[in-house]
Amino acid sequence: MATETLIGSGRDCAPVLTGKIAPWVKRLIADPTAVAKLIDFGNSPVHVLAASEFRRNVAALLSVLQSRQVSGSLFFARKANKLPWFVQLAKEEGIGVDTASHPELQETLALGVAPDKIIVTAVGKSKELVSQAVATGCLLVIDNLDEITLAKAAAQSMGRVARVGLRFSGFRVNQRKIFSRFGLPVDEYRALLSEIGSESGLQLELLHAHLDRYDIEERAYAARQLIEVADCASMDGKKVSSIDLGGGILIRYLEKSEQWTAFQDELMSSVAGKRPTFTYMADGLGLYKVGEEVCGRADLYPAWNDVSKERFIAAILDHRGGGPALHKEISSRDLKLYFEPGRALLDNTGVTLARVTFRKRDTEGNLLIGLGMNRTNLRPFRAEFCVDPILLTATDRPKIDEGAFLVGNLCGEGDVIMRRKLQIGRMPEPGDIFCFVNTAGYLAHHLEVGTHGSPLPVNVLIDEDTLEVCDSFGN
Ligand SMILES: Cc1ncc(COP(=O)(O)O)c(C=O)c1O
């Protein structure tokens, strides 16, 4: 089908994906003066953050443990957002902090978080990181035998006992072994426990698992296998006090399940060639066609799901593997249970505002809306971030049916902010503003780089009542 016949008909647009919007965001986007002030303050793009949803998320997740009489808590996985504000909020809310690098550990300590509230899960721990964790008394989660050697050496050289956890992998679910490159083989736990004898300088406190997929059953089975390890350790006189099931607690980005289903169906149809493509360069977002067959998997976060946050944790704790519910297995042993949520605690805590800089067409006739930002400013781990941005433009702008690609300001053809051709509703003018919702978890700074001499974007913390800036970071 010729491109010209699609333009103007709206048929080349991606199906709509309406984001779930927090009350503070509704108030913000309804107030053009406040939006303009924020973008004038931070320039384009600016990441805007608010605190109340973080506190609400902490309470919601903890309530599941409390309602099932499971003791334990949360460690906020601070890798999901670089800002110190969320570490401070974690401290104020009395939860712990999960650090994934030496700089994160140093900053968390400098922000006054008590070492007994800090866990170190960093991948590839340096000697300096291990030494600081041991010297300060933070809990080190060991991923491999070389880290056991490092931790022993640090403990012995300081004459201290290192608090450690063991990260395991290779859990079995119905005869299937869950793949991971992280952690030590759970099948070899006996040999590993013997590495942590009384002479080792290590004190085993916690057994850890972080699973990559958002699978409730896998987590429940992993927890049961960790409980077996804890039982065995305690028979050997090594009392393990806690189990940690890592992060990966689902959140829900979208308002409506029907939209999510329709989007996935339409993506499949477009890759199959049954409808016009709606993605940049006909990107299948993980799907591709071989002959007449659509192969691969859509590489997308489950943007709509009905088991987000507290429901996800509840489903793990209520899981019955043919016996008592998991929460009973945990509480009857007096074990503590921890989770390390990053994304789930940051749900609804941030938006990103960006200015329109130009409108034009590419050589295929596609409408391009240029934004004062680049793709790394909102970079998902997956092929696409499946939430439509909101155009905050004056209602007198002409209505359009035609879809548009939002493009960035780097000199690369691939600098497209979203790969979907979006229904933006009206033709914006330079200076108009797009609001991207729910960007604080990973999207905003995890993969952001300064380039073309531009500094990294400014982050502003706002007062949710007055919508005024209370603090800023990065300017
Ligand atoms: C060990 C560990 N804990 C916690 C997390 C946080 O995961 P999420 O932000 O999905 O909750 C991660 C993410 O990669 C991780 O690797």
Side-chain angles (χ1 to χ4, degrees):
M1 203 171 294
T3 322
E4 302 83 74
T5 62
L6 297 175
I7 291 178
S9 73
R11 289 191 52 220
D12 59 343
C13 295
V16 172
L17 293 170
T18 311
K20 192 184 64 172
I21 303 180
W24 72 270
V25 178
K26 285 190 185 147
R27 281 201 301 282
L28 175 65
I29 62 182
D31 187 337
T33 314
V35 169
K37 264 167 103 176
L38 290 173
I39 207 153
D40 285 347
F41 181 94
N43 213 339
S44 177
V46 59
H47 300 304
V48 181
L49 293 309
S52 68
E53 294 290 333
F54 187 92
R55 296 188 199 278
R56 189 199 304 265
N57 293 333
V58 170
L61 299 192
L62 285 179
S63 72
V64 188
L65 300 188
Q66 285 146 8
S67 65
R68 284 152 181 84
Q69 279 97 44
V70 172
S71 55
S73 188
L74 308 171
F75 291 104
F76 165 54
R78 64 154 313 179
K79 74 188 94 177
N81 187 290
K82 70 180 179 188
L83 297 168
W85 304 320
F86 294 111
V87 175
Q88 272 149 350
L89 283 168
K91 184 172 128 188
E92 282 169 32
E93 292 300 303
I95 62 167
V97 179
D98 163 26
T99 56
S101 69
H102 196 196
E104 280 189 10
L105 174 63
Q106 286 169 316
E107 196 196 7
T108 303
L109 285 164
L111 288 166
V113 178
D116 66 355
K117 293 272 192 194
I118 301 177
I119 193 165
V120 182
T121 60
V123 175
K125 299 174 188 67
S126 64
K127 199 170 165 190
E128 294 70 29
L129 167 61
V130 171
S131 298
Q132 186 166 26
V134 175
T136 50
C138 300
L139 198 144
L140 264 175
V141 177
I142 304 280
D143 168 75
N144 55 62
L145 294 176
D146 288 327
E147 287 183 3
I148 294 190
T149 308
L150 269 182
K152 280 183 182 171
Q156 277 153 19
S157 73
M158 287 178 223
R160 293 183 66 105
V161 173
R163 301 174 55 224
V164 298
L166 285 180
R167 180 169 181 172
F168 285 107
S169 60
F171 303 100
R172 284 181 194 279
V173 179
N174 307 324
Q175 313 304 320
R176 176 176 58 88
K177 197 185 229 187
I178 307 170
F179 170 80
S180 178
R181 75 180 178 94
F182 300 109
L184 293 152
V186 70
D187 292 345
E188 294 171 26
Y189 74 86
R190 285 178 196 279
L192 291 162
L193 290 176
S194 69
E195 286 288 325
I196 306 185
S198 50
E199 304 293 291
S200 67
L202 309 181
Q203 175 166 326
L204 180 63
E205 294 187 13
L206 173 140
L207 304 176
H208 184 277
H210 169 85
L211 303 177
D212 204 35
R213 301 191 320 141
Y214 300 98
D215 189 308
I216 288 163
E217 192 178 47
E218 285 187 359
R219 281 173 173 71
Y221 276 102
R224 286 180 196 281
Q225 285 157 72
L226 292 181
I227 290 170
E228 269 175 53
V229 178
D231 286 348
C232 174
S234 89
M235 278 190 284
D236 266 10
K238 295 182 187 109
K239 177 85 186 107
V240 173
S241 57
S242 318
I243 281 184
D244 180 337
L245 291 182
I249 291 155
L250 268 184
I251 70 168
R252 178 155 63 80
Y253 284 101
L254 297 178
E255 194 62 52
K256 296 181 182 142
S257 71
E258 316 84 79
Q259 288 186 352
W260 183 231
T261 310
F263 175 76
Q264 293 174 94
D265 292 348
E266 293 294 305
L267 177 65
M268 180 67 90
S269 301
S270 72
V271 176
K274 293 181 186 153
R275 63 149 285 167
T277 179
F278 51 77
T279 54
Y280 188 68
M281 305 274 192
D283 187 332
L285 308 179
L287 298 176
Y288 53 94
K289 199 171 174 194
V290 179
E292 284 311 298
E293 205 187 331
V294 176
C295 303
R297 276 174 140 228
D299 178 24
L300 303 171
Y301 187 89
W304 194 92
N305 62 77
D306 59 1
V307 279
S308 57
K309 294 197 287 197
E310 58 269 36
R311 286 172 164 214
F312 188 79
I313 295 190
I316 297 170
L317 291 188
D318 295 342
H319 180 269
R320 292 169 183 274
L326 179 62
H327 65 84
K328 293 213 166 114
E329 300 278 17
I330 295 172
S331 56
S332 65
R333 286 168 171 83
D334 240 0
L335 283 167
K336 293 196 185 78
L337 177 66
Y338 289 92
F339 287 93
E340 291 157 5
R343 193 187 296 270
L345 291 180
L346 295 166
D347 188 21
N348 288 323
T349 59
V351 300
T352 301
L353 303 173
R355 270 198 202 104
V356 173
T357 49
F358 62 84
R359 292 91 34 94
K360 67 176 290 190
R361 290 189 186 275
D362 67 14
T363 49
E364 298 279 301
N366 291 303
L367 174 62
L368 307 181
I369 305 294
L371 299 184
M373 65 183 290
N374 68 64
R375 185 157 163 70
T376 77
N377 298 135
L378 287 178
R379 186 79 175 89
F381 289 125
R382 309 296 191 104
E384 179 76 334
F385 178 56
C386 287
V387 182
D388 290 352
I390 303 165
L391 175 57
L392 306 177
T393 195
T395 47
D396 61 358
R397 303 281 187 255
K399 281 194 176 168
I400 51 167
D401 290 332
E402 179 183 356
F405 287 117
L406 304 185
V407 297
N409 54 14
L410 301 185
C411 50
E413 296 283 5
D415 188 25
V416 178
I417 308 300
M418 295 208 153
R419 306 196 85 74
R420 312 192 301 289
K421 191 174 241 197
L422 301 168
Q423 299 182 32
I424 54 173
R426 289 180 188 272
M427 179 63 88
E429 300 260 334
D432 287 348
I433 295 166
F434 272 91
C435 174
F436 297 83
V437 297
N438 220 345
T439 57
Y442 296 107
L443 206 67
H445 347 95
H446 203 64
L447 300 170
E448 190 171 61
V449 292
T451 182
H452 291 16
S454 303
L456 293 176
V458 171
N459 299 271
V460 293
L461 182 69
I462 59 164
D463 176 309
E464 288 157 50
D465 294 323
T466 62
L467 302 175
E468 296 286 339
V469 174
C470 5
D471 202 355
S472 69
F473 183 94
N475 59 347

